[in-house]
Amino acid sequence: MFKGVLFDLDGVITDTAEYHYQAWKKLGAEIGVTIDRHFNEQLKGVSREDSLARLLAHGGVEANFSETEKAELAARKNEYYVEMIQNVTPQDIYPGITELLTALKQAGIKCSLASASKNGPFLLKKMELFDTFDAIADPAKVAHGKPAPDIFILAAKEVGLDPAECIGIEDARAGIEAIIKSGAQPVGVGKPEVLGDTIPLVSSTEFLTFDYLTQIWTK
Ligand code: B16
Ligand code: MG
């Protein structure tokens, strides 16, 4: 039986993935880079700095900005994003997530956050989930962002577990890759066209029940 569940945030616990997209789109428009939802899949789960690098490369404009200007662009995107998430409430929690967290707690299974977002603690507080989590891995403490496994390894460590004892839940390609590399068992929320067909997938978080997780646990 697994001993911990490592949760991604954006796109798994709530729909902030949409706000990230809107904020990048707004920033992109200001610097002449157009992005669409297809391109946005490459930004999901990826750190703010790495997302900016991908956006600038997509527009072919990396050379137009100094490192200081890039830092300003990343900060500006975050300002747009932070403004958008001010009104997040517990009603924004995706279907089934509260029930899953309750069931895991009752079963004595540790819940740890493995989000790339530096806004994770703020969002958990807004959704009144901060105290439900046993730990929040700090993305500022890891050397490499997703698809590197670091944040999942740290999330497991923060609750005294090895990733091999845990299930990781993700909505992004980069995140699934990170879970697999960490040694945790992946579950994807999304479509096989985006996440591949080699791991268990649910089309919606409402299917992420405690029973489902026990069924897919293969160790
Ligand atoms: P921030 P996750 C990720 O969160 C987002 O998917 C990604 O779009 C974002 O760039 C990244 O967090 C960093 O977020 O700018 O708020 O620090 O999916 O890992 O929960
Ligand atoms: Mg995500």
Side-chain angles (χ1 to χ4, degrees):
M1 182 66 166
F2 55 95
K3 295 182 180 164
V5 178
L6 315 174
F7 285 84
D8 175 47
L9 198 164
D10 294 298
V12 169
I13 295 176
T14 187
D15 193 21
T16 36
E18 179 63 22
Y19 296 136
H20 278 296
Y21 172 54
Q22 295 302 338
W24 283 123
K25 204 173 164 65
K26 185 171 174 182
L27 182 83
E30 289 168 359
I31 57 170
V33 178
T34 307
I35 63 163
D36 60 14
R37 286 180 190 279
H38 180 71
F39 171 74
N40 187 57
E41 288 300 324
Q42 293 179 40
L43 305 186
K44 284 188 180 174
V46 175
S47 75
R48 200 180 304 164
E49 294 71 21
D50 291 348
S51 296
L52 177 67
R54 289 184 187 198
L55 182 135
L56 296 179
H58 179 68
V61 295
E62 308 104 304
N64 298 358
F65 300 97
S66 67
E67 289 310 309
T68 311
E69 284 166 338
K70 284 180 192 170
E72 188 279 320
L73 291 176
R76 205 194 308 167
K77 180 269 172 179
N78 191 51
E79 271 171 36
Y80 297 152
Y81 177 69
V82 167
E83 199 182 315
M84 290 173 192
I85 60 174
Q86 289 306 311
N87 297 327
V88 168
T89 73
Q91 289 186 344
D92 293 302
I93 301 170
Y94 267 156
I97 293 294
T98 305
E99 293 79 354
L100 175 62
L101 289 165
T102 305
L104 290 169
K105 238 184 164 53
Q106 277 169 1
I109 290 162
K110 300 284 185 203
C111 296
S112 188
L113 194 75
S115 170
S117 177
K118 296 189 174 102
N119 295 297
F122 174 80
L123 282 163
L124 287 189
K125 282 178 196 154
K126 282 281 183 189
M127 292 181 282
E128 296 174 12
L129 288 178
F130 190 81
D131 295 331
T132 308
F133 277 81
D134 297 292
I136 299 173
D138 182 354
K141 285 192 190 154
V142 299
H144 307 286
K146 301 170 188 177
D150 305 26
I151 194 82
F152 285 96
I153 294 170
L154 181 62
K157 193 175 166 208
E158 296 280 15
V159 289
L161 296 173
D162 187 278
E165 300 173 297
C166 302
I167 287 177
I169 308 179
E170 259 289 349
D171 70 312
R173 265 194 103 93
I176 300 283
E177 213 180 307
I179 293 172
I180 294 170
K181 284 189 206 143
S182 78
Q185 198 172 309
V187 175
V189 180
K191 299 185 180 128
E193 301 90 273
V194 178
L195 301 179
D197 57 6
T198 57
I199 60 159
L201 294 182
V202 291
S203 56
S204 156
T205 54
E206 71 191 275
F207 304 116
L208 283 175
T209 60
F210 182 61
D211 272 359
Y212 175 77
L213 295 187
T214 54
Q215 279 165 31
I216 59 102
W217 181 251
T218 55
K219 286 172 189 162

